[in-house]
Amino acid sequence: MPKVKTKSGAKKRFSLTGTGKIKRKHAFKSHILTKKSTKRKRELTKTGLVHTSDEGRVRDMLKI
């Protein structure tokens, strides 16, 4: 039986917290920043958690 491989894109985008939840980054923080408010840009910098409805798919990509 061959090894089960992790999706390399998912490996770069997600990480686990100490309690086993999956952390993610926010989108829309890379370009066209002049029209976005300072508050919006600051909030996008913070990490978020993957929603529970998507968590199964992400765990399957990460093979955890």
Side-chain angles (χ1 to χ4, degrees):
M1 193 73 190
K3 289 183 181 179
V4 179
K5 291 196 173 182
T6 300
K7 299 282 186 216
S8 60
K11 179 174 53 177
K12 296 169 195 172
R13 287 173 172 85
F14 301 107
S15 61
L16 286 175
T17 63
T19 56
K21 295 176 183 172
I22 302 172
K23 286 194 300 188
R24 66 174 177 85
K25 293 188 176 114
H26 284 97
F28 309 113
K29 185 63 170 61
S30 58
H31 70 298
I32 314 176
L33 298 173
T34 52
K35 63 173 75 171
K36 294 173 186 143
S37 69
T38 308
K39 180 181 178 180
R40 182 175 167 194
K41 288 185 279 191
R42 189 171 58 244
E43 291 296 317
L44 289 173
T45 303
K46 299 174 183 174
T47 57
L49 294 175
V50 171
H51 195 268
T52 51
S53 60
D54 297 320
E55 202 170 313
R57 271 183 297 224
V58 175
R59 284 187 185 277
D60 189 48
M61 287 190 279
L62 295 172
K63 308 297 185 210
I64 52 173

